[in-house]
């Protein structure tokens, strides 16, 4: 979200942010990138050749940033409901 | 090590459509190599699975983005390729039997069918590589040779119908009509020599004048039709091509009726089941297009 990233960097960033729980396969990543680019949520910001290998850097579009914000707010609201209900719900005490 | 791994990843990426691979192939390989340990020689199983699933998704997405005209033109080309592979397999089997002297046929017939096999193969490669006029010429030559060879036997002449033990040339005749149409339509080509691999597949999976008597038919033909239906999910051109291969089956029904074959119980297997599959396949073409249209965004 902060800066444009190439495919491998996206995979590493996802792994870091999920504390190693999510490790994207390249095929999965590029299918997602294609879908998001098709929906104009992200775009190729720049391309470069490093050691003879092609790299494309992907960044969020304004529409993509707004979609991320909206999704984060939706998830936060959902989490809030669960937290509040958990705090106020009466505890079930099993008889001895 | 890296070269071998890169080669294997590139081979795996051939599952993607050509246009996608030429645009994104290098980038995906770069990412895959970045992710791999330095001593790795073979692609990881989870990467193989993800690439194959991604390839199917990409094919399906490309299929949805095709215009109806492109689908029909591509389907026509694929139909010509299927039928030429079937014709080539029939001529090759005939030649094989003649050359091994199993059928004890005259040399003129043997020579005709060997030459027809070569011309069918040439026509197949020509259609695959987008050279449609040479394909028409080679196909017409093959058909002429088969007719001459068939007359040399001294039997009842060629039949354009599909029946157990009968000579039938309908694949080549329909393929020729398709090739003439392709001269005008000129859909994008691709595949070239690789399409020759379809000939041995056609020997087993498509009906020819020898295998209806074997235990493989009509079941392998049903497997072919079923595969066409499954593949229609990712490519609407495939059921069009499959339906073209099934086109002569109603004609065969009339032929069988004329000969009184319907009295034989096993004939039902050869007639009604192929007809049912052909009807499903033919119906799947417009259904696939309708489903595609409903999934395509309004802007697309």
């Amino acid at each position: 979200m902060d800066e444009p990233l190439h495919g491998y960097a996206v995979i590493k960033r996802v792994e870091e942010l999920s504390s190693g729980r999510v490790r994207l396969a390249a095929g999965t990543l590029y299918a997602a990138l294609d879908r998001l680019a098709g929906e104009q949520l992200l775009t190729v910001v720049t391309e470069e050749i490093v050691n003879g290998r092609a790299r494309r850097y992907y960044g969020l579009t304004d529409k993509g940033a707004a979609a991320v914000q909206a999704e984060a707010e939706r998830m936060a609201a959902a989490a809030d409901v669960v937290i509040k209900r958990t705090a106020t719900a009466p505890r079930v005490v099993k008889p001895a | 090590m890296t070269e071998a791994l890169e080669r294997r990843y590139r081979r795996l990426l051939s599952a993607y459509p050509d246009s996608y691979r030429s645009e994104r192939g290098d980038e995906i390989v770069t990412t895959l190599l970045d992710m791999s340990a330095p001593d790795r020689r073979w692609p990881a199983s989870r990467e193989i699975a993800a690439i194959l699933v991604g390839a199917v998704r990409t094919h399906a997405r490309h299929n949805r983005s095709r215009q109806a005209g492109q689908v029909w033109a591509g389907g026509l080309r694929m139909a010509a390729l299927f039928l030429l592979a079937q014709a080539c397999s029939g001529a090759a089997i005939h030649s094989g039997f003649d050359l091994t002297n199993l059928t004890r046929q005259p040399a003129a017939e043997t020579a005709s069918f060997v030459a027809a096999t070569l011309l069918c193969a040439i026509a197949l490669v020509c259609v695959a590589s987008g050279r449609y006029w040479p394909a028409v010429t080679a196909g017409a030559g093959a058909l002429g040779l088969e007719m001459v060879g068939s007359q040399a036997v001294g039997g009842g002449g060629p039949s354009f119908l599909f029946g157990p033990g009968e000579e039938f040339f309908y694949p080549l005749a329909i393929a020729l009509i398709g090739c003439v149409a392709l001269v005008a339509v000129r859909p994008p080509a691709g595949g070239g020599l690789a399409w020759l691999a379809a000939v041995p597949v056609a020997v087993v999976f498509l009906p020819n004048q020898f295998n209806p008597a074997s235990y493989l038919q009509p079941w392998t033909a049903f497997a072919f039709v079923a595969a066409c239906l499954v593949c229609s999910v990712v490519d609407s051109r495939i059921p069009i091509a499959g339906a073209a291969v099934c086109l002569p089956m109603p004609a065969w029904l009339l032929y069988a009726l004329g000969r009184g074959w319907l009295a034989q119980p096993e004939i039902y297997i050869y007639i009604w089941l192929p007809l049912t599959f052909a009807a499903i396949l033919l119906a799947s073409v417009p259904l696939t297009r309708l489903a595609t249209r409903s999934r395509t965004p309004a802007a697309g």
Side-chain angles (χ1 to χ4, degrees):
Chain A
M1 274 187 72
D2 310 323
E3 59 192 338
L5 297 173
H6 56 74
Y8 179 57
V10 173
I11 290 169
K12 295 303 291 178
R13 182 68 60 88
V14 168
E15 197 174 352
E16 284 166 23
L17 292 174
S18 66
S19 305
R21 279 174 302 165
V22 180
R23 187 154 194 270
L24 290 171
T28 311
L29 169 76
Y30 283 98
L33 290 178
D34 291 336
R35 187 173 57 78
L36 294 171
E39 292 173 15
Q40 291 155 8
L41 297 175
L42 59 79
T43 187
V44 176
V45 175
T46 183
E47 295 180 40
E48 63 179 23
I49 305 291
V50 179
N51 297 330
R53 298 198 184 281
R55 283 201 192 285
R56 282 195 177 99
Y57 288 78
Y58 297 88
L60 284 174
T61 60
D62 291 343
K63 186 181 169 186
V68 169
Q69 188 66 33
E71 184 65 9
E73 284 168 8
R74 188 191 65 77
M75 291 173 79
D80 198 40
V81 168
V82 174
I83 290 165
K84 279 181 182 161
R85 286 185 71 87
T86 309
T88 57
R91 295 243 169 165
V92 176
V93 180
K94 285 185 181 174
Chain B
M1 298 271 186
T2 309
E3 287 81 11
L5 184 62
E6 180 174 348
R7 199 170 55 246
R8 285 170 184 138
Y9 273 133
R10 285 195 186 279
R11 209 171 292 150
L12 269 174
L13 288 178
S14 62
Y16 281 86
D18 290 345
S19 57
Y20 184 86
R21 204 167 59 246
S22 61
E23 189 192 329
R24 302 292 290 275
D26 287 344
E27 185 191 355
I28 297 175
V29 167
T30 301
T31 303
L32 286 164
L33 293 176
D34 284 343
M35 293 168 70
S36 305
D39 57 344
R40 179 171 275 282
R41 295 188 61 187
W42 292 90
S45 54
R46 67 189 291 270
E47 293 296 346
I48 294 172
I51 287 170
L52 295 178
V53 171
V56 170
R57 280 181 176 169
T58 310
H59 276 288
R61 200 174 57 251
H62 275 225
N63 187 46
R64 288 197 294 273
S65 67
R66 283 192 195 103
Q67 300 296 317
Q70 291 175 309
V71 171
W72 286 103
L76 177 66
R77 174 178 169 272
M78 210 176 272
L81 289 166
F82 280 14
L83 289 162
L84 283 169
Q86 188 184 11
C88 192
S89 72
I93 292 170
H94 196 128
S95 306
F97 273 85
D98 283 0
L99 287 170
T100 50
N101 208 23
L102 288 174
T103 48
R104 300 190 181 282
Q105 299 296 359
E109 187 209 346
T110 306
S112 295
F113 275 89
V114 170
T117 306
L118 289 173
L119 285 175
C120 282
I122 290 169
L124 179 68
V125 174
C126 285
V127 170
S129 51
R131 292 191 284 268
Y132 299 119
W133 270 123
V136 170
T137 311
L143 187 60
L145 281 169
E146 288 194 2
M147 305 279 277
V148 169
S150 165
Q151 292 293 345
V153 185
S159 163
F160 283 86
L161 301 167
F162 159 46
E166 297 286 327
E167 291 287 0
F168 60 98
F169 305 125
Y170 73 81
L172 196 44
I174 301 175
L176 259 179
I177 297 167
C179 288
V180 171
L182 286 170
V183 172
V185 178
R186 298 209 161 267
L193 287 171
W195 270 96
L196 285 176
V199 177
V201 177
V203 168
V204 177
F205 283 90
L206 295 179
N208 57 60
Q209 59 266 47
F210 293 98
N211 67 9
S214 75
Y215 289 108
L216 290 176
Q217 289 292 355
W219 311 113
T220 49
F222 297 162
F224 164 77
V225 173
C228 286
L229 281 169
V230 170
C231 291
S232 66
V233 175
V234 291
D235 195 335
S236 303
R237 298 170 302 178
I238 292 174
I240 296 172
V245 173
C246 294
L247 270 178
M249 290 184 180
W252 182 51
L253 171 64
L254 297 174
Y255 184 65
L257 278 168
R259 291 203 163 192
W261 284 352
L262 285 177
Q264 301 170 28
E266 68 270 24
I267 293 304
Y268 285 97
I269 295 172
Y270 285 105
I271 294 176
W272 296 117
L273 283 178
L275 272 178
T276 309
F277 275 100
I280 294 169
L281 204 53
L282 287 165
S284 78
V285 176
L287 288 177
T288 307
R289 294 310 302 158
L290 279 175
T292 300
R293 225 172 283 163
S294 67
R295 284 196 305 265
T296 310

